[in-house]
Amino acid sequence: MKKALAVCLAALLASLCTVATAQTTSPLLLIEPSVDFAMQVTQTIADMGDNPDVGNRSSGSEAERQAAAFIQQTMEEIGLSNVTADAFTSDNWTFNRGRVYYTDETGAQQFLPLGGFATNLTTDMQEVKVVYAGRGTEADYDGLDVQGKVVLIDINQAED
C-alpha cells in the first residue's frame, strides 16, 4: 500500500513537472517541481513508517497521519489550492515490530523481520517450531506438519 501511494504521488508530481515544463511560467504552481523533487517527496513519505525493520505504515496510525499531513503541506507549498485532509472512519491497528529470532550455523543469533499482517500469535521470546511453506499455496502445505507451529511463507506484495 505504501509503495502504491508513493508511486501515485510520484506520478502526480511528475505530471506537474510536465505541466511546469510545458509552461515555463506556470500560473498554477508556486514552484516548478522536478523529477528530483518528486523523488525527494516520495522518499520522505516512504521513510514514514510504524515498523523500524520494514517501514510499514498501518491504516489510522500516527505514521499515516504524519504522511497525510506532509502530503497536504507539500501540495500547498507548490501552490495547489483547495487541498484538504478529510476525516474518515477506518479499522486500524499499529504494527510495531515482528521478528523471528534464530541461531545460525555458527551459533550467532539472527532475526528475520516480519511484515505487518493481522495475526493472533502472542508470544514473548518463547521458543516455537517454525515450518517453511514456500508461497503458502495449498500445494506448498501438502505433506507439512503445521499443527501447533508457526508457518513462515514468502509474500511479495509488490508482485503478488
Side-chain angles (χ1 to χ4, degrees):
M1 181 66 172
K2 178 176 73 172
K3 184 176 180 180
L5 176 62
V7 169
C8 290
L9 182 63
L12 170 65
L13 292 172
S15 69
L16 292 174
C17 294
T18 304
V19 169
T21 304
Q23 295 177 285
T24 53
T25 57
S26 172
L28 302 174
L29 302 176
L30 297 175
I31 64 169
E32 293 185 9
S34 64
V35 172
D36 289 339
F37 173 77
M39 292 304 295
Q40 178 185 359
V41 169
T42 302
Q43 187 59 55
T44 300
I45 294 167
D47 290 342
M48 295 177 178
D50 300 319
N51 180 328
D53 289 336
V54 296
N56 293 0
R57 188 170 47 250
S58 307
S59 173
S61 69
E62 181 58 29
E64 184 180 66
R65 286 187 288 280
Q66 289 172 349
F70 175 77
I71 292 168
Q72 180 178 10
Q73 176 186 348
T74 301
M75 289 180 167
E76 290 169 346
E77 286 175 355
I78 65 172
L80 297 176
S81 61
N82 197 24
V83 177
T84 64
D86 301 326
F88 62 93
T89 302
S90 80
D91 293 331
N92 59 34
W93 55 284
T94 300
F95 180 77
N96 294 315
R97 175 175 285 160
R99 291 179 172 178
V100 172
Y101 291 90
Y102 66 96
T103 303
D104 70 15
E105 63 277 354
T106 69
Q109 189 177 47
Q110 305 288 336
F111 72 89
L112 299 171
L114 302 177
F117 297 97
T119 67
N120 63 356
L121 175 66
T122 303
T123 181
D124 186 17
M125 298 303 292
Q126 78 185 58
E127 288 190 28
V128 296
K129 296 210 183 270
V130 177
V131 176
Y132 177 67
R135 309 278 295 163
T137 66
E138 186 176 347
D140 290 330
Y141 277 86
D142 282 347
L144 291 181
D145 175 15
V146 298
Q147 185 68 39
K149 300 173 184 169
V150 173
V151 178
L152 185 64
I153 61 172
D154 286 322
I155 296 175
N156 183 334
Q157 288 182 307
E159 296 176 8
D160 294 335

